[in-house]
Amino acid sequence: MTTDTAVRPAPAPGSPGAGARARSRFPVSGGTALGLGSAVLYMSLIVLIPLAVVVWRSADQGLGYFWRAVTTPDAWAALTFTVGASVIVALINLVMGTIIAWVLVRDRFPGKGIVDTLIDLPFALPTIVAGLVLLALYGPESPLGVNLAYSRIGVVLALLFVTLPFVVRTVQPVLLELDRDMEQAAASLGASAFQTFRRIILPNLVPAMLSGTALAFTRSIAEFGSTVLISGNLPFKTQVAAVNIFSQIEGDNQTGAAAISTVLLIVALVALISLDLLQRWGSRRG
């Protein structure tokens, strides 16, 4: 008695058997469907619907009014200053955040644990308190004799304070997981420390560095609390976009505030999408 062990051909793509095979390959349990539905509902209520309402409200009186609200002298000055300062802050974080992460992972020094804990302080500290601390330290009555209040440098300093953890906390885990054997092998083959960093370490750090930089940039363009005190809210000089939005709301111009908010949202989305495309391009190139 023989048994037929021939391999049956796979069902055609459009046949009922192919659909059953696809469903069995990617099963969706009731728990998964419930979790997915809960996640989508939560994201919709907390993020998607409020953002959609802001965008819709910004065009409530037509695109012409939207453009006029964005290009008023004070709004445009606040937007350009905010984006420019955020770019500077992101670039400084790119360099200094990577250096700090390197020191925390590769070096040993007294108080290392305390420094590592303090990195997360801007996350835990209310931003308005951060602004008050910076104003007390670098204001007119500064104990250091340095007065940066009501200046653009002071605004950049406040943004650097609140965005400090982003690059550090994205680069640090990558450095911790980096295989040190590759560095030792490169050194044994005669590679200098700079060559080892440029060809082995840096390519592994770049995705994390870019991610942290993008997060620092998007946080900077939306920052309010830490800048409202030290900036002095001077139109055409130190007023940031978030403070300008608050001023628009105080002036009962909610449509104009929504228009400026929409511009900030678009800038943030462009930054995040560009980062994602850049990372995909880098992964395809190996």
Side-chain angles (χ1 to χ4, degrees):
M1 183 174 182
T2 60
T3 302
D4 185 11
T5 59
V7 179
R8 296 182 180 179
S15 64
R21 180 73 60 85
R23 286 192 297 270
S24 63
R25 187 179 303 173
F26 304 102
V28 179
S29 63
T32 301
L34 180 61
L36 179 61
S38 300
V40 172
L41 178 61
Y42 182 80
M43 288 290 294
S44 299
L45 293 176
I46 300 299
V47 179
L48 299 179
I49 293 177
L51 290 180
V53 170
V54 170
V55 175
W56 174 80
R57 186 63 184 272
S58 68
D60 192 27
Q61 300 185 29
L63 294 178
Y65 183 86
F66 175 90
W67 180 250
R68 289 194 299 272
V70 170
T71 56
T72 57
D74 59 333
W76 187 252
L79 283 170
T80 53
F81 171 59
T82 300
V83 174
S86 299
V87 170
I88 295 173
V89 168
L91 293 177
I92 295 175
N93 272 292
L94 174 65
V95 177
M96 295 307 303
T98 304
I99 294 175
I100 294 173
W102 180 277
V103 170
L104 291 175
V105 173
R106 296 296 180 93
D107 295 340
R108 296 178 180 271
F109 55 91
K112 178 179 176 180
I114 298 176
V115 174
D116 192 39
T117 302
L118 290 177
I119 294 296
D120 294 325
L121 185 61
F123 283 154
L125 193 67
T127 55
I128 191 68
V129 176
L132 182 61
V133 170
L134 292 172
L135 185 62
L137 190 59
Y138 299 109
E141 301 179 0
S142 170
L144 303 177
V146 178
N147 184 9
L148 299 179
Y150 318 135
S151 67
R152 295 191 171 191
I153 297 178
V155 174
V156 172
L157 182 65
L159 295 179
L160 285 172
F161 178 86
V162 298
T163 59
L164 170 65
F166 287 103
V167 176
V168 177
R169 292 311 188 203
T170 53
V171 173
Q172 196 173 6
V174 179
L175 279 172
L176 287 170
E177 297 177 2
L178 198 62
D179 189 3
R180 301 290 293 272
D181 292 338
M182 294 188 298
E183 301 175 43
Q184 295 174 359
S188 65
L189 294 174
S192 64
F194 176 75
Q195 289 174 328
T196 302
F197 177 80
R198 183 172 62 88
R199 297 187 177 183
I200 296 178
I201 300 175
L202 187 59
N204 289 281
L205 296 184
V206 165
M209 293 166 60
L210 292 178
S211 297
T213 302
L215 292 174
F217 173 79
T218 54
R219 171 65 186 274
S220 295
I221 63 174
E223 180 57 28
F224 175 83
S226 65
T227 61
V228 67
L229 294 179
I230 199 168
S231 70
N233 191 22
L234 303 176
F236 307 104
K237 184 179 179 182
T238 62
Q239 187 181 66
V240 296
V243 178
N244 184 266
I245 292 171
F246 182 72
S247 301
Q248 298 281 353
I249 294 176
E250 283 190 324
D252 199 25
N253 185 15
Q254 295 188 11
T255 304
I260 301 172
S261 301
T262 301
V263 173
L264 294 180
L265 175 61
I266 293 173
V267 172
L269 286 176
V270 168
L272 294 177
I273 292 173
S274 300
L275 171 65
D276 182 68
L277 293 176
L278 184 61
Q279 289 180 336
R280 292 175 184 270
W281 174 80
S283 63
R284 286 197 300 267
R285 291 181 61 89

